[in-house]
Amino acid sequence: MEIRNLENAQRFLDYCGYYRFCGYALAFEIQDKSGARTHKYTCGSSFEMIESIYHFDGALRRILFHYITLIEVFFRTTLTNISALHYSCPHWFLKQSAFSNPEKHSAFLDVCKKETERSKEAFIKTYSLNYEKPTLPPI
């Protein structure tokens, strides 16, 4: 593999790490007939080319994470709004009759209680200060 700028390569490896870099370089590594690694790279591959793929991957992850987050929030908000309107109650999830399996409903409420207790979110603290019942905040 060609390394055009040794100093830049060293700086990059200092923050990326050798093994992480090698993961990106695998696509350019030549394999022998049995599929084993040879630690030799295809003609024309360079350190800088693999570094640019690493940076592209990071940028792509940031973009995807941004849009996945938007989709998640939209989905959860839509589910919340539809379910609260359908049951005409923001605490509908506390009603066992809204669930087909009583055991799963009970387990679900246990998880909700544990998550609420461990939460440091401001809205959970505010709800707890202002309301005694129901103990869980609305959907």
Side-chain angles (χ1 to χ4, degrees):
M1 173 188 304
E2 180 184 356
I3 302 174
R4 295 182 190 122
N5 184 328
L6 198 55
E7 189 175 307
N8 178 63
Q10 182 61 51
R11 271 194 313 273
F12 177 76
L13 289 174
D14 284 345
Y15 73 82
C16 172
Y18 172 76
Y19 288 103
R20 186 167 180 85
F21 174 81
C22 286
Y24 284 90
L26 281 174
F28 300 93
E29 192 171 329
I30 299 168
Q31 297 177 347
D32 67 15
K33 290 179 184 178
S34 69
R37 296 180 64 190
T38 63
H39 301 284
K40 294 179 182 176
Y41 295 90
T42 58
C43 184
S45 60
S46 69
F47 186 95
E48 291 75 14
M49 181 175 64
I50 295 166
E51 179 184 0
S52 70
I53 292 169
Y54 170 86
H55 291 298
F56 171 80
D57 182 54
L60 182 61
R61 285 174 197 246
R62 286 186 296 279
I63 291 167
L64 288 175
F65 186 74
H66 171 74
Y67 286 104
I68 288 169
T69 301
L70 293 176
I71 292 166
E72 176 197 0
V73 170
F74 174 75
F75 175 78
R76 290 181 358 185
T77 302
T78 301
L79 180 64
T80 299
N81 292 340
I82 289 172
S83 60
L85 289 171
H86 175 77
Y87 290 101
S88 300
C89 176
H91 286 95
W92 67 268
F93 62 95
L94 297 173
K95 299 175 185 179
Q96 186 177 339
S97 61
F99 292 78
S100 61
N101 185 317
E103 292 83 24
K104 286 186 178 181
H105 178 249
S106 179
F108 168 72
L109 289 180
D110 287 343
V111 170
C112 289
K113 288 173 189 169
K114 286 178 186 172
E115 289 299 313
T116 300
E117 288 168 3
R118 81 167 184 82
S119 177
K120 293 178 179 32
E121 297 283 345
F123 72 92
I124 296 291
K125 290 179 183 179
T126 301
Y127 180 83
S128 298
L129 289 172
N130 293 304
Y131 301 95
E132 287 183 30
K133 289 195 177 194
T135 55
L136 292 173
I139 189 76

